[in-house]
Amino acid sequence: MHPVNPGIILQIVLASASPRRQELLKQIGLDFRVMPSHVTEDKELLGTPSELACQLAMAKALSVGEQLRDSLVLGADTLVVHRGTVLGKPRTKEEAARMLLQLQGDMHEVITGVALIHLESRKKSIFHVTTRVFFKPLTEREIWAYVASGEPMDKAGGYGIQGLGAALVEKIEGCYFNVVGLPLGRLVEEFKKFGVYVLK
């Protein structure tokens, strides 16, 4: 529980079932509850990938915020973009392998859109953060070995940098935590606008 203004106690709600986002918020010591949104991640919406990420993040935050108007609701959506194409979560092992074959030896962008809303005070903050990720050249054998681990199946772009997927990455430019699911450095600054201070 955190004060948004003097005398007001603000509850933080994460509108996501993502265990990775939950771990990131715990890492910076936040007290929060989880209430997943049921917004369909429609990648056919119009706009640039960054606009799409922000639209989806806002839709998730609003779907929960409308039920909890006195809470600070956090919605987020992470997109993997390679040469202008948005890569979602693979549905099959074959699709995961095809994605990784595209990404190997090349650079892609990870864009996380974030929405913070407090409907009772009509305050909101919407932003996105982009990280450039460079994959090492990979053989088909290495790709299939990674796919066999099962790690790609619930992750945009078919990999998780915080797990075995770290072995695929040559370097990154930008925020590491953004690739995991939340740009913590920027998020901490945006929280201050709502009276939430990680470092008191």
Side-chain angles (χ1 to χ4, degrees), residues 1-12 29-31 70-72 118 120-121 123 188-200:
M1 309 286 261
H2 301 271
V4 61
N5 286 312
I8 297 177
I9 300 299
L10 186 63
Q11 181 179 59
I12 299 171
L30 284 184
D31 294 326
D70 60 345
S71 297
L72 175 56
H118 183 247
E120 192 171 69
S121 65
K123 291 181 69 174
V188 166
E189 293 306 305
E190 296 296 321
F191 270 136
K192 292 178 183 177
K193 298 176 181 177
F194 298 85
V196 176
Y197 297 90
V198 171
L199 299 173
K200 300 178 182 66

Side-chain angles (χ1 to χ4, degrees), residues 49-63:
S50 58
E51 290 169 340
L52 175 57
C54 288
Q55 289 171 30
L56 291 168
M58 190 61 179
K60 292 176 182 181
L62 279 173
S63 72

